[in-house]
Amino acid sequence: MRRKTPMVIAVAAVSGGGKTTITSYLNEKLSNSKAIYFDDYDFEGPEDMVEWIENGSNPDDWDLSPLIRDVQQLLTESLDYIIVDFPFAYLHRRTSNLIDFAVFIDTPLDVAMARRIIRDFKDGSAEDIVQDLDNYRSKGRRGYLSMLQTTKPNSDLVVDGTRFKSEITSVITQHVENLR
């Protein structure tokens, strides 16, 4: 039986893990789909990320109302898929009921860090890179580990983030098509 509403696929990973790349590639490969990107929004939430992580990094501390409105609007359209670049998978109380399938891209932390540095510091100085690495080492890594302990086990599918984007997308689309 064919679904009457679009299937909402959440793509999660640590920063630099491939969320945006895979969301974009899935949007190209899945017919009649639209993508939403977490980083396109300016959410109300914790001011101090380190403190938020140290206090348990509760996703419900973020007001995701703009993203929720956009997903709800897309659910009224004649789409087959809505792909959401979304770091929390099912963990946010107000979004969990909107998601049909959550994917976690399991990218080793060193690979994710290298990707993030390449992405964020193309025109940065060596000093900026060293400062970012020091912040990662002293504080930021805890946030990455938290995602591995919370988001990853609460996803429907875990995919090896070291694989080529075409392979990752193929694994995801096979699973999604089996659910339709």
Side-chain angles (χ1 to χ4, degrees):
M1 180 176 192
R2 185 132 172 88
R3 295 171 54 92
K4 293 184 171 114
T5 59
M7 175 184 275
V8 178
I9 304 165
V11 179
V14 298
S15 179
K19 290 183 299 294
T20 302
T21 298
I22 296 305
T23 297
S24 295
Y25 205 62
L26 276 171
N27 193 39
E28 290 174 21
K29 297 299 177 190
L30 291 172
S31 63
N32 198 27
S33 65
K34 286 198 178 170
I36 294 177
Y37 299 91
F38 188 82
D39 290 342
D40 287 348
Y41 296 88
D42 187 20
F43 298 112
E44 294 292 322
E47 295 293 323
D48 185 331
M49 291 300 290
V50 173
E51 183 179 307
W52 179 68
I53 292 165
E54 288 173 353
N55 290 331
S57 53
N58 182 356
D60 290 333
D61 291 341
W62 294 92
D63 178 6
L64 304 180
S65 298
L67 181 138
I68 292 167
R69 273 192 303 274
D70 288 351
V71 170
Q72 289 172 331
Q73 174 58 41
L74 289 177
L75 284 168
T76 68
E77 295 184 20
S78 276
L79 296 170
D80 291 325
Y81 303 98
I82 301 167
I83 306 128
V84 186
D85 164 343
F86 187 63
F88 303 132
Y90 292 115
L91 297 177
H92 192 280
R93 178 181 48 78
R94 291 189 55 218
T95 59
S96 63
N97 64 331
L98 297 172
I99 298 168
D100 297 304
F101 190 70
V103 178
F104 187 83
I105 304 166
D106 191 13
T107 306
L109 297 185
D110 61 326
V111 173
M113 181 174 32
R115 288 179 183 168
R116 197 174 52 75
I117 289 170
I118 291 166
R119 176 192 72 204
D120 295 348
F121 295 97
K122 266 191 170 80
D123 299 319
S125 68
E127 183 178 322
D128 290 339
I129 295 169
V130 169
Q131 183 178 359
D132 188 73
L133 290 172
D134 188 51
N135 182 57
Y136 171 84
R137 181 193 53 77
S138 64
K139 303 171 192 165
R141 187 169 187 271
R142 283 178 271 182
Y144 288 67
L145 294 173
S146 174
M147 285 193 76
L148 295 177
Q149 295 164 356
T150 58
T151 308
K152 179 180 172 181
N154 283 288
S155 298
D156 298 306
L157 175 66
V158 176
V159 183
D160 179 356
T162 62
R163 297 171 78 176
F164 292 112
K165 69 180 179 180
S166 60
E167 295 173 325
I168 294 170
T169 304
S170 177
V171 169
I172 296 168
T173 55
Q174 286 172 7
H175 279 81
V176 165
E177 288 168 359
N178 288 336
L179 296 173
R180 282 217 133 333

